[in-house]
Amino acid sequence: MTYSGFRVIREALTGHKGWRSVWRDAHPKPHYDFVVIGGGGHGLATAYYLAREFGEANIAVVEKGWIGGGNVGRNTTIIRSNYLLDANEPFYEFSLKLWEGLEQELNYNAMVSQRGILNLLHSDAQRDAARRRGNAMILNGSDAELLDIAGVRKLYPFLNFENARFPIKGGLLHRRGGTVRHDAVAWGYARGADRQGVDIIQNCEVTGFRIKNGRCLGVETTKGFIGATKLGVSVAGSSSRVMAMAGMRLPIESHVLQAFVSEGLKPTLPGVITYGAGHFYCSQSNKGGLVFGGDIDGYNSYAQRGNLPTVEDVAESGMSLIPALGRIRLLRSWGGIMDMSMDGSPFIDKTPIDGLYFNGGWCYGGFKATPAAGFAFAHLMSTDRSHKTATAYRLDRFRTGHMIDEKGQGAQPNLH
Amino acid sequence: MIIPHPLLGPRDAQEFTYLGDASLIDRPDWQSENAMQEFHDYLYLRENPAGQHRELWFHEQGDRSWLVVTRNTVTHEITQVELASDVARAQGRGR
Ligand SMILES: Cc1cc2nc3c(=O)[nH]c(=O)nc-3n(C[C@H](O)[C@H](O)[C@H](O)COP(=O)(O)OP(=O)(O)OC[C@H]3O[C@@H](n4cnc5c(N)ncnc54)[C@H](O)[C@@H]3O)c2cc1C
């Protein structure tokens, strides 16, 4: 079933009775050539590109709950390619290019909306850093524009420009950044993978690995043993728990990040804004709610809910930037569990165990990475070589001194 | 979250900053044969369990003591709080 304008009109006229489920509910076979653990955006994209791009077959995705129920369905949906470091920017730019063609490629409406991201600047030092970042972005094929105060005022006249502590001095505008309908990313990739013959196995939790003589042979699951020639782990905030079953310790802590959504408003915020002084970022969803977030709670957690001090902190930051926020009601807040790595950057690498591959440590930036992470992970699993944009995402980089400290904060997860 | 401080009684977690796994008390010996490996593991690798976790909290806005807090990372329930200096001393270390 493909989607088209004609199809939508025909269904509208016939009571929408013709739509069918877009992926099969598969039962596990005894053995696959490739098994990907985790039915989030990354896992589904990996399976899709394994089949579609690398011509592999006999692939399964194993998900403990339902696909899209993890971080891919909990995040604040921001996509961007405005990183600074050589190890990062080419990767995120590759990802943004994949986002730009995603809906055509998948024939699925993921509401990719390049509404622009504005990083606000509050000091001369921040302006210098933004100029440098903008140049790094442009050198890597991305786009960046430095705005002065008047330029920011034109876009967002209602911001608190005269804040005594953090006056707004300008902004770095990245026009190709924006937002994407997060659930639709999981659904679109699931449909795409299913159409390539990938088995998507839901309600199937991996409970152990079968490893013999340093080689991984498959996984124990709540639906029995599933053999695999190559196994990829892509379980977001559960990386430490899952890899511990394979006997590995990771340079990762799990932390909770909260997000918030307000009641629906008329169109107010045309793009995404980030507050460079406090940690606050905000966009408006297509339904009208303001979607925003701030810092992680900052201590190890698997609770999938946060604590109130962070709610207060985010609300304070928000109000100091957009005083009008004080008049709107908050509808919901929720939390997701993320891998926080020691330098704030991810891993896409082989493990010391033969046939076992790892993709994780995305901290709170992994949604924008979904297409490229899937592509690069599929590349690694299929060819046993890193994709050219992901060569730095190695598990041993702390040993070799090649940390990727994008924020310049040092090796402490709760600072990233 | 309320942290029951052994000397000061219940304190709001907001008064503290978090460092991480309490095993950070056990700094490796810089003269050991495997010092490179041991410091790598000490600095970067983590147990990161879902459940009971012993961790270090610094009472920055209070008496500036370091505490070892045993907390459940799934429920946020705190079952034990010790002074980090007591923990180190019990291991035969510290002044
Ligand atoms: C509140 C919040 C806001 C965020 N905002 C942004 C943002 O604006 N932009 C951005 O780029 N990133 C953002 N992120 C980060 C981003 O959401 C994640 O980095 C990314 O989605 C993680 O990849 P994933 O989608 O595959 O993970 P998930 O969707 O979490 O997929 C992992 C899957 O693995 C499954 N799993 C776990 N254990 C097992 C097991 N034992 N067996 C089988 N399956 C298992 C889980 O059930 C889950 O479905 C945010 C995160 C949060 C929590």
Side-chain angles (χ1 to χ4, degrees):
Chain A
M1 176 174 65
T2 49
Y3 298 116
S4 63
F6 171 72
R7 182 74 206 267
V8 171
I9 292 166
R10 201 180 74 190
E11 289 300 332
L13 294 175
T14 55
H16 292 286
K17 294 201 183 78
W19 303 119
R20 268 167 286 115
S21 29
V22 296
W23 61 86
R24 294 164 293 128
D25 208 5
H27 291 281
K29 291 193 272 181
H31 183 92
Y32 292 93
D33 291 344
F34 294 87
V35 169
V36 181
I37 307 173
H42 288 213
L44 293 163
T46 304
Y48 170 78
Y49 290 117
L50 268 173
R52 178 63 206 247
E53 206 57 46
F54 298 95
E56 303 290 358
N58 200 18
I59 305 165
V61 175
V62 179
E63 163 57 47
K64 77 169 173 196
W66 64 92
I67 61 164
N71 285 345
V72 69
R74 286 169 185 268
N75 64 76
T76 39
T77 79
I78 298 168
I79 62 164
R80 57 188 170 89
S81 155
N82 58 357
Y83 283 69
L84 171 72
L85 301 179
D86 287 345
N88 278 334
E89 183 54 20
F91 174 85
Y92 289 100
E93 179 54 25
F94 175 49
S95 205
L96 192 53
K97 293 225 166 71
L98 288 172
W99 283 117
E100 284 170 335
L102 187 79
E103 294 167 318
Q104 316 304 326
E105 156 123 22
L106 294 178
N107 176 237
Y108 201 85
N109 184 6
M111 299 189 189
V112 177
S113 161
Q114 294 179 287
R115 54 185 72 182
I117 292 186
L118 180 65
N119 299 140
L120 295 169
L121 311 171
H122 312 274
S123 66
D124 293 343
Q126 270 190 328
R127 191 192 297 112
D128 291 347
R131 193 184 292 277
R132 177 168 173 232
R133 177 179 297 264
N135 285 336
M137 290 160 64
I138 291 166
L139 283 172
N140 283 293
S142 186
D143 71 288
E145 283 163 53
L146 201 59
L147 301 186
D148 58 9
I149 303 177
V152 176
R153 257 190 213 280
K154 219 166 128 197
L155 285 175
Y156 298 104
F158 49 83
L159 299 180
N160 187 7
F161 285 84
E162 269 82 54
N163 184 322
R165 180 85 170 82
F166 299 120
I168 293 170
K169 297 221 163 177
L172 185 67
L173 180 62
H174 172 42
R175 289 193 193 270
R176 284 163 61 242
T179 60
V180 181
R181 167 96 199 266
H182 45 6
D183 312 295
V185 174
W187 300 333
Y189 273 119
R191 172 170 170 273
D194 180 86
R195 291 174 128 201
Q196 306 286 326
V198 172
D199 279 359
I200 295 169
I201 305 161
Q202 303 186 75
N203 296 310
C204 179
E205 180 172 357
V206 169
T207 53
F209 292 85
R210 196 175 285 180
I211 297 168
K212 265 212 184 99
N213 303 327
R215 201 186 155 79
C216 190
L217 304 176
V219 280
E220 309 291 347
T221 76
T222 47
K223 294 190 174 180
F225 175 76
I226 304 175
T229 312
K230 290 185 174 181
L231 252 170
V233 177
S234 198
V235 294
S238 303
S239 294
S240 296
R241 276 201 278 181
V242 171
M243 296 310 276
M245 297 191 280
M248 278 182 69
R249 291 171 83 207
L250 300 174
I252 284 175
E253 288 178 1
S254 297
H255 287 245
V256 67
L257 178 68
Q258 304 189 56
F260 308 84
V261 67
S262 78
E263 61 188 329
L265 305 174
K266 288 182 177 171
T268 311
L269 259 188
V272 184
I273 50 175
T274 77
Y275 188 7
H279 189 184
F280 174 82
Y281 52 93
C282 189
S283 66
Q284 187 168 21
S285 80
N286 294 338
K287 283 196 270 184
L290 295 183
V291 181
F292 54 93
D295 277 319
I296 54 175
D297 279 22
Y299 39 84
N300 291 42
S301 174
Y302 285 96
Q304 285 209 350
R305 65 180 168 78
N307 267 311
L308 285 172
T310 306
V311 179
E312 203 179 348
D313 186 55
V314 172
E316 272 173 6
S317 287
M319 278 207 36
S320 74
L321 181 66
I322 314 175
L325 269 187
R327 303 292 296 273
I328 61 166
R329 268 165 298 197
L330 206 57
L331 282 195
R332 286 186 291 129
S333 72
W334 63 92
I337 304 303
M338 307 152 326
D339 287 350
M340 292 302 296
S341 65
M342 292 294 152
D343 58 359
S345 293
F347 307 97
I348 300 178
D349 204 358
K350 294 192 221 185
T351 71
I353 300 160
D354 265 352
L356 185 60
Y357 301 78
F358 177 68
N359 163 44
W362 289 96
C363 305
Y364 38 68
F367 178 67
K368 70 178 77 70
T370 305
F375 198 105
F377 200 36
H379 185 285
L380 177 72
M381 288 181 70
S382 175
T383 66
D384 275 308
R385 281 178 295 109
S386 294
H387 186 257
K388 64 176 189 295
T389 62
T391 51
Y393 298 154
R394 299 183 52 135
L395 275 165
D396 67 357
R397 65 174 179 261
F398 300 99
R399 198 183 303 278
T400 59
H402 294 87
M403 283 82 121
I404 315 168
D405 189 357
E406 181 74 32
K407 277 178 87 181
Q409 299 271 49
Q412 179 78 355
N414 57 0
L415 297 180
H416 292 290
Chain B
M1 228 159 46
I2 303 290
I3 298 181
H5 192 297
L7 305 176
L8 306 174
R11 313 300 301 193
D12 194 306
Q14 279 296 89
E15 295 175 8
F16 294 78
T17 51
Y18 178 76
L19 185 66
D21 194 333
S23 70
L24 289 168
I25 290 183
D26 308 321
R27 195 180 171 81
D29 175 6
W30 64 277
Q31 286 178 312
S32 107
E33 286 277 296
N34 288 327
M36 278 277 266
Q37 179 69 33
E38 284 168 19
F39 269 97
H40 167 267
D41 296 359
Y42 169 79
L43 283 170
Y44 302 116
L45 301 188
R46 294 286 184 270
E47 250 13 287
N48 198 17
Q52 294 293 313
H53 190 227
R54 272 160 63 84
E55 51 203 23
L56 285 165
W57 291 75
F58 178 48
H59 199 191
E60 190 170 24
Q61 322 266 326
D63 70 344
R64 305 185 71 79
S65 59
W66 281 95
L67 304 183
V68 174
V69 175
T70 307
R71 186 178 58 96
N72 187 310
T73 58
V74 181
T75 61
H76 296 321
E77 189 197 359
I78 293 172
T79 44
Q80 199 187 358
V81 182
E82 303 149 273
L83 288 173
S85 52
D86 287 348
V87 173
R89 228 174 265 128
Q91 294 171 353
R93 301 203 0 250
R95 278 154 286 154

